[in-house]
Amino acid sequence: MTKSTAILGLGAMGEAITRAAAAKGHHLRAWNRTPRTIDGIDVEMSATVEDSTRNADIVVVCVRNHEISRTVIDRIPATNTSGVLINFSTGTPTDTVDSAALAAARGVRYVTGAMMVPTSMVGTEHCSALYAGAEEDLTAAQPILDALGGSSDIVGNDHSMPPALDLAMLDIYFSGMYAYLHAAALAAAHGVEPAAFLPYARGIVDTLGGSLPASTTSLRHRRYDQGDARLDMCLSFLTHIVESSHQAGIDPGLAEHVRAASARALDHWPAATDWDVVAEKFLGESRSRPRMADTGQ
Ligand SMILES: NC(=O)c1ccc[n+]([C@@H]2O[C@H](COP(=O)([O-])OP(=O)(O)OC[C@H]3O[C@@H](n4cnc5c(N)ncnc54)[C@H](OP(=O)(O)O)[C@@H]3O)[C@@H](O)[C@H]2O)c1
């Protein structure tokens, strides 16, 4: 059956979602703060949130952040809340819980979404998104999940979980990309062109991926005795990176931060302890309560 879908927010991601829904035959109405049009697809533009959400089976909100998305949800009249709303705006776990609470208070059926791919992958088999919500709301939202393509990972009814996972992954992404950009500059300072460095960079990223299961075991048991990478040896590596950065006239960036963390760990732990004992500082500071099942790795 054709779904009537309202899209609130037509930035790059809102437009990508709109195009994917159009390709699957959704009947589309859209609103954006700044009036605009989308070429090449059939989408009716509305001047207000009220108009665009009237009789919608599904409402997608995709704006800059959750604070803004709450102002948008607030504008949905009580008469327009029969459909399910999926909020793809990025925020913190606290943000997404607050937005879900607002939706509940206004009688809006609500799903938290976290899009984990760039716009070019939306609507393709490479799309990947996380969702949380009540089972019946997720079922009602299924036509838009299907339209987006790829994998839809439903993580339960805890609205803090999609951003918790999304932001943890982005933490790896941005730290990794920043380290890569620094490493490429360090290599370039010694005459290695970025293209010549690329295969080496890819190789070490693969090595990092291969190291994660052993580190996961260490974190799970809070034991750092697998003997792969001694703390004192790793501190020496990091000191070399920092020194060679200074010699090349480059800010050592993250390497100095990691070196200092490793030196502090060496004050507290035997030199032969695995390097990933640096995690103990984070674990000591964290106010976490385990809520997602341990897969037994
Ligand atoms: N782009 C990506 O690759 C990507 C990937 C994953 C997740 N996301 C998330 O998707 C969400 C949307 O991202 P985006 O790429 O479309 O671009 P964006 O620049 O983050 O958001 C643009 C949208 O937010 C609206 N907006 C901004 N301030 C507003 C306000 N005060 N009131 C009402 N609407 C306002 C814009 O309206 P105007 O046109 O009027 O400015 C536009 O519709 C973000 O939370 C982003 O983190 C994006």
Side-chain angles (χ1 to χ4, degrees):
M1 198 176 87
T2 304
K3 287 292 167 188
S4 177
T5 300
I7 312 281
L8 309 179
L10 287 178
M13 185 50 81
E15 176 172 342
I17 293 170
T18 307
R19 289 187 181 281
K24 290 290 177 201
H26 286 233
H27 176 265
L28 290 159
R29 231 182 283 137
W31 166 88
N32 195 53
R33 174 185 61 170
T34 309
R36 57 160 301 194
T37 53
I38 299 187
D39 295 334
I41 58 170
D42 193 10
V43 49
E44 184 187 328
M45 294 305 302
S46 301
T48 63
V49 169
E50 178 177 4
D51 281 348
S52 61
T53 54
R54 190 169 295 126
N55 299 324
D57 302 306
I58 296 172
V59 176
V60 170
V61 176
C62 190
V63 289
R64 170 67 53 82
N65 60 40
H66 267 261
E67 201 180 337
I68 296 168
S69 76
R70 286 194 287 275
T71 69
V72 173
I73 293 167
D74 250 339
R75 277 183 261 166
I76 300 173
T79 46
N80 290 7
T81 57
S82 58
V84 62
L85 185 150
I86 304 106
N87 193 346
F88 280 107
S89 312
T90 303
T92 65
T94 304
D95 273 329
T96 51
V97 167
D98 286 352
S99 298
L102 172 70
R106 294 185 56 85
V108 176
R109 301 167 65 193
Y110 188 85
V111 169
T112 298
M115 188 63 78
M116 297 189 298
V117 293
T119 54
S120 58
M121 293 185 189
V122 175
T124 75
E125 61 182 328
H126 304 294
C127 189
S128 173
L130 295 161
Y131 298 95
E135 214 174 310
E136 60 275 19
D137 295 338
L138 287 158
T139 302
Q142 194 63 46
I144 194 78
L145 274 56
D146 291 343
L148 298 179
S151 65
S152 303
D153 193 357
I154 292 171
V155 294
N157 197 12
D158 179 344
H159 290 275
S160 69
M161 206 49 76
L165 291 166
D166 184 32
L167 296 177
M169 285 185 280
L170 288 172
D171 189 4
I172 296 175
Y173 182 80
F174 283 109
S175 302
M177 285 302 290
Y178 195 74
Y180 162 70
L181 295 172
H182 179 270
L186 191 56
H190 295 277
V192 182
E193 289 293 323
F197 179 54
L198 179 59
Y200 297 95
R202 282 203 162 127
I204 198 71
V205 168
D206 287 348
T207 303
L208 184 149
S211 302
L212 296 183
S215 247
T216 302
T217 302
S218 301
L219 289 176
R220 187 161 170 250
H221 301 292
R222 295 185 74 167
R223 289 181 60 129
Y224 308 92
D225 56 1
Q226 298 180 66
D228 281 343
R230 295 170 56 108
L231 190 49
D232 56 351
M233 181 198 68
C234 291
L235 178 59
S236 174
F237 280 147
L238 287 154
T239 304
H240 294 322
I241 300 169
V242 170
E243 278 178 12
S244 58
S245 298
H246 285 308
Q247 286 161 6
I250 298 168
D251 183 324
L254 290 179
E256 171 51 29
H257 190 77
V258 183
R259 188 207 61 76
S262 307
R264 280 194 300 274
L266 196 55
D267 290 339
H268 295 285
W269 300 86
T273 313
D274 288 345
W275 173 81
D276 49 12
V277 73
V278 294
E280 280 295 309
K281 178 170 186 294
F282 300 128
L283 296 172
E285 291 166 350
S286 169
R287 284 181 241 125
S288 73
R289 298 155 282 138
R291 274 176 291 162
M292 200 165 181
D294 192 328
T295 55
Q297 216 161 16

